[in-house]
């Protein structure tokens, strides 16, 4: 690894990393928000709504992320949607992850033991209070491990954004590689970098999973 | 004086800091039925599992027909783990019946019994199937030969498990709480099979809570508490004449004491 | 929106779908070999093998597929192999999938009750026979629903091999987009093909799950 090249490109790489984190955080925030809304909406007793939401989830989970990005970024202008690469990246990541998060939240709510809800009803709590004070906290704890797993998966998906020219880390690496003919070293460095990142976050995630499982088991 | 089928001397075992067995001495002679009783956590199952070395014992000796199991003594007199091949050979002669049956769900009852005959005893498939069918008949399940374990009741599954162990023609049979996982009304059919086995002269070492069975079928009872055998003898002695307070306290909880 | 574009591209996309499915099949098959080897290594009892298996799973789940694909592509280019693109594609897909399959298999093996192996040991089975006759048949049965899910993920992942130029669905959609200047229709058409493949697989998976649940209670 040629250290001069690395130092020369350091600003671009750090900037790229910043874009990666930015897209990941924004995209995940959007995804969590939409996913949560979809999970709540699915509880509404309307066949039509449930069908629409079902289609939403199946389409977003049944097609590749790259395809969805192309549709947004390259296909968008055809219907008047002119997004910058980064915006398209965030919107794309948000929509794609929302499909997964909605299923996670749905499972989280389903994991609330029926007995706890019945206990709340029998003391006369209002439905909105039951939701806020009993169902939501427990559902969130149950959802935490799969959410963290999905966050990790989405962090790896950010490299796909480089294909639609979002200037994140992978894109900057490839630019550096092309300009300096160090493709192999650059890719190798990327691989090591992501491996370390994912390994560290996974370990933290496993700790969260242990605490969550212990919490749920005690109930 | 014949060599005992099973001979245990000063057997000790620890799981980490916790000592589960302390200095256990026990013999089981040929055609004898010995029942191990005692409170939970006393080490009964662990002791049983040391006999076929499913659990390794740390101290003392366990001998099957005079041969040390699990360990070899090498030329300098030190002890080291026995070769896997010899251990497997010894295990062939020891049959084991587990509390949770441990039948293989992807095979039928007949296949469960014939599979070890092919795989371990080296029989041809046809002969193995024949022997397996005969064994299933012996435990009263001939018509269930082609049924999968999931479709059998607990009592039936345990009888298939006994047939599987028996088919190997072992010299001694070990039973680890064979009826503890069964519904009360299914216990009888399994005990009946075990009674018949004993009558046929099989050497049996049984960990059980079935005091009535122990009283009527066992030649000897051994009471274990906290890893030690604190009393031993014919059923009459242990159940009615024991001087050990712990034994009397334990048996107090069995309302049907008067029945035996 | 010009639907005619979608209809005219059907022929090309069907062919591309064949490539996508073939790639994914190769990926999952080879991945199965890697995954099984890694899993057996982790259960082997020899520390160095266990660490090797663990490292394989950790590395190939941690590195994003795109990075892996480009890595294999450039690595093979330096070594000078003749068909780098295809080899890179299948190599990358299978190495990545293998890591996930190793985890699937590990979960399946853990799901087989311990007592079954114990019964085999007590009867005098060798470790090899125990694996072959008792553990693996059941673990494989349990693995089928998650493996079908893995195949769906692989179909989606194969879209990334477009970057090394292979004519699967995504690449062909990109070509159609640049030829017809109608990217929206082109990509929607491609998306439809992926959806069709994956929904069929999901249906198959549901069927397999019901069969597995009904059979081994």
């Amino acid at each position: 690894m040629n250290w001069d090249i690395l130092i020369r490109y350091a600003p671009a790489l750090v900037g790229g990393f910043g874009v990666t984190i930015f897209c990941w955080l924004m995209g995940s925030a959007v995804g969590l928000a939409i996913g949560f809304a979809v999970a709540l909406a699915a509880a509404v007793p309307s066949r039509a709504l449930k069908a629409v939401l079902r289609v939403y989830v199946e389409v977003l989970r049944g097609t590749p992320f790259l395809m969805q990005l192309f549709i947004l970024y390259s296909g968008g202008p055809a219907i008047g949607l002119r997004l910058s690469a980064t915006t398209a990246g965030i919107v794309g990541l948000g929509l794609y992850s929302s499909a997964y998060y909605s299923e996670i939240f749905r499972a989280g709510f389903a994991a609330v033991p029926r007995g706890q809800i019945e206990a709340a009803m029998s003391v006369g709590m209002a439905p909105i209070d039951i939701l806020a004070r009993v169902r939501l906290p427990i559902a969130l704890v149950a959802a935490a491990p799969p959410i963290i797993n999905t966050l990790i998966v989405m962090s790896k998906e950010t490299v796909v954004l480089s294909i639609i020219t979002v200037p994140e880390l992978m894109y900057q690496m490839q630019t550096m590689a092309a300009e300096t003919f160090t493709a192999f070293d650059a890719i190798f460095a990327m691989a090591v970098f992501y491996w370390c990142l994912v390994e560290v976050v996974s370990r933290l995630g496993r700790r969260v999973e242990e605490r969550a499982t212990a919490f749920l088991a005690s109930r | 004086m014949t060599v005992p089928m099973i001979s245990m001397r000063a057997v000790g075992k620890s799981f980490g800091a916790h000592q589960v067995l302390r200095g256990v001495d026990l013999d089981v002679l040929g055609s004898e039925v010995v029942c191990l009783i005692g409170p939970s956590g006393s080490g009964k199952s662990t002791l049983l599992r040391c006999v076929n070395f499913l659990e390794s014992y740390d101290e003392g000796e366990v001998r099957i027909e005079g041969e040390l199991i699990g360990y070899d003594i090498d030329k300098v007199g030190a002890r080291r783990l026995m070769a896997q091949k010899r251990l497997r050979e010894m295990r062939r002669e020891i049959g084991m019946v587990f509390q949770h049956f441990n039948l293989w769900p992807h095979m039928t009852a007949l296949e469960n019994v014939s599979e070890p005959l092919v795989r371990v005893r080296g029989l041809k498939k046809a002969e193995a199937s024949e022997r397996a069918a005969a064994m299933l008949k012996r435990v009263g399940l001939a018509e269930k030969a082609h049924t999968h374990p999931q479709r059998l009741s607990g009592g039936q599954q345990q009888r298939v498990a006994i047939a599987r162990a028996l088919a190997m023609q072992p010299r001694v049979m070990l039973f680890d709480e064979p009826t503890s996982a069964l519904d009360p009304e299914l216990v009888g059919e399994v005990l009946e099979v075990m009674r018949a086995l004993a009558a046929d002269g099989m050497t049996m070492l049984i960990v059980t809570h079935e005091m009535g069975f122990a009283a009527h079928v066992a030649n000897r009872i051994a009471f274990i508490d906290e890893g030690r055998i604190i009393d031993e003898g014919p059923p009459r002695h242990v159940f009615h004449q024991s001087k050990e307070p712990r034994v009397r306290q334990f048996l107090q909880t069995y309302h049907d004491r008067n029945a035996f | 929106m010009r639907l005619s574009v979608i209809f005219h591209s059907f022929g090309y996309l069907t062919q591309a779908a064949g490539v996508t499915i073939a790639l994914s099949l190769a990926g999952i098959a080879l991945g199965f070999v890697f995954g099984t080897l890694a899993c057996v290594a982790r259960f082997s009892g020899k520390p160095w093998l266990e660490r090797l298996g663990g490292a394989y799973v950790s590395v190939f789940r941690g590195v994003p597929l795109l990075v892996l694909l480009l890595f294999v592509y450039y690595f093979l280019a330096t070594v000078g192999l003749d068909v780098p693109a295809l080899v890179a594609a299948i190599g990358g897909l299978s190495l990545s999938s293998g890591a996930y399959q190793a985890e699937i298999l590990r979960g399946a093996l853990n799901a087989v009750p311990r007592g079954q192996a114990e019964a085999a040991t007590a009867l005098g089975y060798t470790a090899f026979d125990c694996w072959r006759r008792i553990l693996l048949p059941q673990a494989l049965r349990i693995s089928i629903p998650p493996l079908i899910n893995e195949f769906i993920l692989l179909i989606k992942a194969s879209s990334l091999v477009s970057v090394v130029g292979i004519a699967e669905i995504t690449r062909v959609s990109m070509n159609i987009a640049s030829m017809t200047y109608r990217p929206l229709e082109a990509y929607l058409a491609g998306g439809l093909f992926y959806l069709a493949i994956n929904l069929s697989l999901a249906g198959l998976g549901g069927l397999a799950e019901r069969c597995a649940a009904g059979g081994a209670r």
Side-chain angles (χ1 to χ4, degrees), chain A residues 40-146:
Chain A
L40 283 179
V44 169
S46 155
R47 286 260 220 101
L49 185 59
K50 280 201 221 281
V52 167
L53 293 174
R54 189 81 258 159
V55 170
Y56 174 81
V57 170
E58 291 300 321
V59 168
L60 287 173
R61 292 204 309 179
T63 50
F65 181 45
L66 184 59
M67 232 18 178
Q68 297 173 22
L69 285 176
F70 279 146
I71 291 176
L72 272 175
Y73 185 60
S74 310
I79 51 169
L81 193 71
R82 268 161 235 284
L83 300 171
S84 74
T86 310
T87 316
I90 292 175
V91 173
L93 196 62
L95 286 173
Y96 183 60
S97 61
S98 73
Y100 289 92
Y101 289 130
S102 71
E103 289 294 289
I104 291 174
F105 283 123
R106 200 173 55 82
F109 277 111
V112 179
R114 181 92 205 130
Q116 310 241 352
I117 303 172
E118 284 174 356
M121 289 199 291
S122 66
V123 296
M125 276 176 92
I128 189 78
D129 283 329
I130 299 181
L131 176 66
R133 309 281 292 168
V134 178
R135 297 175 61 205
L136 198 59
I138 300 178
L140 286 177
V141 171

Side-chain angles (χ1 to χ4, degrees), chain B residues 49 52 54 88 91 94 98 102-107 115-116 119-120 150-151 164 168, chain C residues 115-116 118-126 129 132-134 137-138 141 215-217:
Chain B
R49 288 156 65 90
N52 63 355
L54 275 184
R88 284 198 301 272
R91 281 181 172 150
I94 308 171
F98 298 86
N102 290 342
L103 291 179
W104 302 313
H106 56 299
M107 301 181 190
E115 160 77 15
R119 215 53 55 186
V120 181
Q150 299 89 301
R151 292 218 167 80
R164 180 173 65 179
M168 297 284 285
Chain C
Q116 304 204 12
E118 238 176 34
T121 310
L123 285 159
Y125 270 62
T126 59
D129 274 338
R132 191 164 70 97
R133 303 288 301 173
I134 311 299
Q138 294 190 72
R141 199 165 302 196
R217 238 166 296 123

